[in-house]
């Protein structure tokens, strides 16, 4: 069934080093902000923060039916929404888990981050395993949603592959590390992915000071529908927007770049 609109809420909130406290925050924030939404998105690594750069996070990896995913399912089901949030998932290499998004509630899926953050002096691949390169889509309330995580944003091939498979909205939880030019890169790349693919983009980020904040929703024309500020760890910020199928169709009519490709 095709839905004409999709109600989206992004939760810009910091995760800590205590998984139980993060699960409680997920539950409380979902209960407060999940009603009257179709899709509620939390940041990357919300089950447990990365800790100091290069930290071993393997001890906090969980299975897809573990405590965090179970809490996400209960929270989403309780308010009748679909929830997306990041966690570390146990994998074939115990010392290098996956960086995974779980989708729970009205839809169920998981996505293992493809592009690990080996950039700007970081080496995520030392501690984590990259996921398979097959794009992951899920249907949420009649919309085809493509899943990406943080550093994936810098690789337009993944966004295009998702759109080629039918994505109408790209959802990107992130812990976009703060630094010189980083907010400008974040905002520019998110709008670029929306414009070049004529697709909605919704990106939920962890807040300043460690990360960049600026969670935002962009429409297929590249217009900003909602944007948070840099934020702060103790003050979650929630932004809302509605994806409208008529806008998606109009953008693809006015700017038929997907049809005009020659390569």
């Amino acid at each position: 069934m095709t839905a004409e609109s999709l109600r989206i809420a992004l939760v810009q909130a910091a995760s800590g080093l205590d998984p139980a406290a993060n699960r409680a925050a997920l539950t409380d924030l979902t209960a407060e902000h999940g009603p009257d939404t179709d899709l509620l998105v939390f940041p990357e690594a919300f089950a447990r923060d990365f800790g100091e750069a290069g930290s071993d996070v393997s001890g906090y990896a969980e299975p897809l039916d573990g405590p965090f995913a179970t809490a996400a399912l209960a929270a989403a089901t309780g308010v009748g929404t679909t929830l997306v949030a990041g966690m570390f998932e146990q994998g074939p290499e115990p010392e290098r888990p996956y960086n995974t998004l779980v989708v729970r509630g009205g839809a169920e899926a998981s996505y293992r981050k493809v592009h690990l953050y080996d950039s700007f002096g970081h080496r995520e691949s030392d501690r984590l395993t990259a996921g398979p390169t097959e794009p992951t889509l899920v249907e949420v309330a009649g919309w085809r949603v493509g899943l990406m995580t943080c550093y994936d944003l810098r690789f337009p091939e993944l966004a295009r592959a998702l759109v080629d498979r039918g994505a109408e909205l790209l959802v990107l939880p992130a812990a976009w590390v703060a630094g010189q030019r980083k907010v400008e890169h974040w905002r520019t790349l998110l709008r670029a992915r929306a414009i070049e693919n004529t697709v909605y983009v919704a990106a939920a980020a962890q807040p300043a000071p460690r990360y960049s904040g600026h969670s935002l929703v962009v429409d297929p024309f590249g217009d900003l529908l909602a944007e948070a500020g840099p934020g702060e760890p103790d003050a979650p910020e929630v932004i809302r927007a509605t994806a409208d199928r008529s806008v998606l169709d109009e953008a693809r009519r006015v700017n038929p770049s997907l049809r005009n490709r020659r390569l």
Side-chain angles (χ1 to χ4, degrees), residues 108-125:
E108 183 167 338
S110 60
Y111 165 67
R112 295 163 178 164
K113 186 177 181 181
V114 171
H115 300 99
L116 299 181
Y117 186 47
D118 290 358
S119 189
F120 293 92
H122 292 260
R123 286 280 306 174
E124 192 174 18
S125 64

Side-chain angles (χ1 to χ4, degrees), residues 175-197:
W176 196 263
V177 177
Q180 187 179 17
R181 306 184 188 91
K182 294 297 289 295
V183 171
E184 290 81 1
H185 286 194
W186 168 256
R187 298 177 82 246
T188 299
L189 291 168
L190 288 167
R191 295 184 75 181
R193 296 296 87 85
I195 294 166
E196 69 198 4
N197 292 295

